[in-house]
Amino acid sequence: MDFKQSLPTFSIIMARTKNGGIGFKGDLPWGQSFPEDMSHFRNVTLSHSSRESMNVVIMGRKTWESLPDNARPLSGRINIILTRNEAYYPECQKTGPPVFYCYSLESALYEVKNTFAGKKVEHIFVIGGAELYNEALRHPLCKKLFITTVLAEFECDTFVDPHVDKMGFEFESGSKIKTNETGEITYFFSTFNRKNCEEFQYLEAVRTIINKGNKRKDRTGVGTLSVFGMQMRYNAIGVPN
């Protein structure tokens, strides 16, 4: 397999409470009273090394719809919205940042690879919501996390799995604990890198087979569990032929 021809890797950026709360009644748990995190989000997702390059943000339909009208689409970034409802696809915008519609995370990565072949897409960020976050956290091509951890207590009804250490990520760096302008929110920024993608893929495959595998009888009487169509990707660069 030529690993260089495979799909691009991506990062996740999110703000969450200590127990993984990211939303309440269709909005952020803290509402719009956290401009420090909005500024952090903008700085991270707009950061690239040259004028010729551009970043991509991938989001679910509900996250797209939750953005203020004057912030949609997110400027300076290629916006990809995930939805399975083809009737939702609007006409392509003639001005402003490019907006694309895909039906899954995997198809969005194919879109980046194929549509922007020859152009420099430097970073890809998954920006929500919860269903997409939880899928992306366990995806083998997710390499980095940018997490804002909110220490203040907020009521939440939407959550992501907070145990990123159990998904193969290790702490890279973090800020000091800070307080926002109003004094209502204490928080800190941190980044995590996936330490062993190949091992994580194997462990995820075992977990999926145990939890979702189809049980089949065999001649030993013990039986087997199987999952059809599962794939794992490995970096074969440098492996002798």
Side-chain angles (χ1 to χ4, degrees):
M1 179 185 70
D2 186 351
F3 189 80
K4 290 180 287 187
Q5 297 301 316
S6 64
L7 297 178
T9 60
F10 63 89
S11 301
I12 290 174
I13 183 166
M14 71 168 77
R16 66 177 194 188
T17 62
K18 290 182 294 183
N19 64 342
I22 65 167
F24 182 65
K25 294 184 177 179
D27 197 0
L28 298 170
W30 38 86
Q32 304 302 314
S33 62
F34 197 5
E36 294 85 355
D37 183 61
M38 294 180 186
S39 177
H40 174 69
F41 173 89
R42 180 176 175 82
N43 290 338
V44 171
T45 58
L46 280 174
S47 177
H48 46 77
S49 60
S50 70
R51 288 186 176 182
E52 291 73 31
S53 59
M54 204 171 194
N55 294 340
V56 174
V57 288
I58 301 174
M59 69 196 88
R61 177 183 56 81
K62 291 180 181 178
T63 298
W64 167 259
E65 292 176 346
S66 72
L67 296 175
D69 289 342
N70 62 356
R72 191 171 63 211
L74 296 174
S75 62
R77 290 146 287 191
I78 298 165
N79 291 232
I80 298 181
I81 296 91
L82 304 187
T83 176
R84 294 184 180 276
N85 183 4
E86 293 186 7
Y88 184 81
Y89 297 177
E91 294 183 6
C92 294
Q93 289 189 188
K94 296 180 180 178
T95 61
V99 178
F100 296 86
Y101 293 83
C102 296
Y103 62 87
S104 68
L105 175 57
E106 204 85 357
S107 69
L109 297 176
Y110 274 106
E111 183 76 37
V112 174
K113 175 187 172 184
N114 296 327
T115 302
F116 302 103
K119 298 180 182 179
K120 190 173 182 184
V121 170
E122 192 159 335
H123 302 295
I124 302 170
F125 296 96
V126 166
I127 66 170
E131 184 178 347
L132 178 56
Y133 275 146
N134 284 319
E135 176 188 357
L137 280 167
R138 297 188 176 280
H139 198 288
L141 291 175
C142 180
K143 298 295 188 180
K144 193 162 190 171
L145 309 179
F146 297 85
I147 296 179
T148 303
T149 301
V150 175
L151 300 175
E153 296 294 330
F154 288 93
E155 188 174 0
C156 300
D157 58 14
T158 307
F159 296 87
V160 297
D161 190 339
H163 303 294
V164 298
D165 57 317
K166 295 180 180 179
M167 302 177 204
F169 292 97
E170 61 182 0
F171 176 79
E172 179 187 47
S173 63
S175 71
K176 294 180 180 179
I177 294 177
K178 305 179 181 185
T179 304
N180 74 330
E181 273 189 1
T182 63
E184 299 173 350
I185 301 175
T186 52
Y187 65 96
F188 63 91
F189 302 126
S190 54
T191 58
F192 296 80
N193 285 319
R194 179 157 272 152
K195 54 188 176 183
N196 190 327
C197 181
E198 286 78 11
E199 179 182 352
F200 174 74
Q201 287 186 79
Y202 173 76
L203 293 175
E204 273 297 287
V206 172
R207 183 186 68 84
T208 300
I209 292 169
I210 291 173
N211 293 333
K212 299 181 179 180
N214 297 315
K215 192 168 184 178
R216 301 175 184 275
K217 295 181 179 180
D218 62 16
R219 61 185 180 183
T220 68
V222 176
T224 61
L225 294 172
S226 64
V227 174
F228 178 76
M230 182 176 289
Q231 296 182 10
M232 290 186 281
R233 298 183 178 90
Y234 296 97
N235 188 342
I237 297 173
V239 176
N241 294 328

